[in-house]
Amino acid sequence: MFPEISLHILDIAENSIKAGATRIEIEVLRRTAERKLTVAVQDNGCGMDAEQLAGCTDPFFTSRTTRRVGLGIPFLKASAECTGGSFFIDSQKGRGTQIRAEYVTDHIDCIPLGDIGATVYSLILMNEAIGFFYRYGVDERQFTLDTDEMRALLGDVPFASREVAAFIREYLEENQKETDQEEIL
Amino acid sequence: MKSLEELKAIRERMQGQVEFRAENSDQIRVVVGMATCGIASGARPVLTTLAEEVQKRDLKNVTVTQTGCIGLCQYEPIVEVLEGGKDKITYIKMTPEKAVEVLEQHLVRGQVVEKYTLNETRL
């Protein structure tokens, strides 16, 4: 099991990368009054057929016909469901996969979100050819990051160059703080 | 809120000074295992630390990349160093601190940090 929800998101997004996705959308939405945290990952990768889809939440599903099957999905499902939350997965062969997990945040077994900024940062930096869309929301406040927009503004300056990488880190950190409405100087 | 508009200024500053990395034999590839096993054992801080240190020190001949599970899950986080004409070095049970040591000793000075390698570990 993972100690942070953000590590589950990284792990699920790694599945999308292995599935050959060119666009990956990640959403983290907190509804404080309902004490719910929803995380979602959607990709346009190779997807799964009905049999793989049915088996992928079973940790003992041992098909070696695809590398998309492993412990990552059962882990996420268990970590959301053990808080009284829910798990949803849908996939279509050749179209992509979408996964959504809902956590009940005041349940004693609910793990913290953790460093979601580090998850998004490392995904963007390590996968410059993949388009990432990220949305982080708390109640009615939110911010987004779209790497296609970044690419358009940057031309051929790589994301992994020092200044751009530092900008991505700060952008994620500062905007999350403001969305969380913690006090900033 | 911070805006993406700042990237325009970064682009202008960097215009002309962006060198495309030549993929030659001097290039060192640092590969971090980022499958479920790697992530669960702490690969994310190892990866971000390596990427940030490489940027900070401006090591143009070093590329940090990621890979899936290499089948040694009990030794994760694993970092492999691949350099043209040399044997692959596999570092096991890495932490951000050990990764900085490997970066300074191996990637900068060319000295393999034997004590963290798979070869040094009795399996």
Side-chain angles (χ1 to χ4, degrees):
Chain A
M1 289 290 196
F2 293 154
E4 295 178 8
I5 296 171
S6 67
L7 291 174
H8 280 292
I9 298 172
L10 178 59
D11 189 41
I12 296 301
E14 293 292 337
N15 285 348
S16 302
I17 293 163
K18 269 177 251 154
T22 56
R23 178 106 179 141
I24 301 174
E25 299 188 2
I26 297 170
E27 271 191 351
V28 175
L29 301 171
R30 197 189 286 277
R31 299 190 305 283
T32 47
E34 293 164 61
R35 306 175 328 280
K36 293 271 175 65
L37 176 72
T38 309
V39 299
V41 178
Q42 183 165 0
D43 70 53
N44 65 351
C46 67
M48 293 181 276
D49 60 31
E51 193 201 342
Q52 291 168 320
L53 179 59
C56 74
T57 52
D58 175 3
F60 303 109
F61 185 81
T62 55
S63 160
R64 293 286 173 214
T65 56
T66 167
R67 300 200 52 139
R68 295 218 55 197
V69 179
L71 285 171
I73 292 170
F75 272 180
L76 172 63
K77 184 172 188 280
S79 86
E81 286 178 348
C82 77
T83 69
S86 61
F87 173 85
F88 167 84
I89 182 165
D90 193 24
S91 187
Q92 268 181 298
K93 194 92 194 147
R95 298 280 295 276
T97 300
Q98 51 170 315
I99 289 180
R100 194 172 60 240
E102 192 178 75
Y103 289 82
V104 178
T105 53
D106 63 351
H107 191 283
I108 193 163
D109 289 327
C110 189
I111 53 175
L113 176 62
D115 195 351
I116 180 68
T119 282
V120 175
Y121 171 83
S122 56
L123 283 168
I124 292 175
L125 244 64
M126 290 299 119
N127 304 282
E128 205 143 327
I130 297 175
F132 284 94
F133 177 79
Y134 171 56
R135 180 195 308 277
Y136 180 88
V138 178
D139 301 329
E140 69 292 339
R141 307 180 297 279
Q142 66 157 9
F143 78 93
T144 60
L145 178 62
D146 188 335
T147 57
D148 289 351
E149 263 176 62
M150 286 181 50
R151 181 48 69 216
L153 288 163
L154 278 170
D156 47 21
V157 177
F159 293 160
S161 58
R162 189 165 44 86
E163 280 192 76
V164 179
F167 170 84
I168 297 172
R169 198 81 203 242
E170 282 166 28
Y171 181 95
L172 292 166
E173 258 169 42
E174 283 183 27
N175 289 1
Q176 181 172 345
K177 251 188 206 161
E178 226 168 299
T179 308
D180 287 339
Q181 279 196 340
E182 283 171 31
E183 218 173 316
I184 49 164
L185 295 173
Chain B
M1 287 276 183
K2 221 170 156 62
S3 146
L4 289 185
E5 290 301 302
E6 286 177 43
L7 291 174
K8 276 186 186 163
I10 293 177
R11 182 188 186 173
E12 275 162 30
R13 274 203 299 281
M14 294 193 65
Q15 209 87 57
Q17 64 175 54
V18 177
E19 294 166 43
F20 288 99
R21 290 171 186 205
E23 288 291 334
N24 54 38
S25 56
D26 296 338
Q27 198 71 21
I28 304 175
R29 276 210 312 138
V30 180
V31 183
V32 184
M34 291 294 282
T36 304
C37 47
I39 295 170
S41 9
R44 188 183 66 189
V46 171
L47 178 76
T48 52
T49 301
L50 281 169
E52 274 171 3
E53 290 295 322
V54 166
Q55 293 153 22
K56 215 193 287 175
R57 292 158 204 251
D58 207 17
L59 305 177
K60 289 205 177 2
N61 63 327
V62 179
T63 321
V64 182
T65 58
Q66 60 174 39
T67 187
C69 175
I70 63 167
L72 296 167
C73 311
Q74 66 271 45
Y75 301 116
E76 294 279 359
I78 293 175
V79 174
E80 294 179 326
V81 177
L82 300 120
E83 210 174 338
K86 291 185 186 168
D87 287 343
K88 176 176 79 180
I89 305 294
T90 304
Y91 291 108
I92 61 170
K93 297 190 175 176
M94 294 303 281
T95 62
E97 294 74 29
K98 288 180 184 176
V100 171
E101 207 178 324
V102 165
L103 183 125
E104 286 171 347
Q105 296 301 324
H106 187 168
L107 306 180
V108 177
R109 298 194 183 90
Q111 301 293 322
V112 176
V113 189
E114 297 288 350
K115 61 182 173 184
Y116 301 146
T117 61
L118 181 63
N119 290 347
E120 282 291 296
T121 310
R122 260 189 313 149
L123 298 182

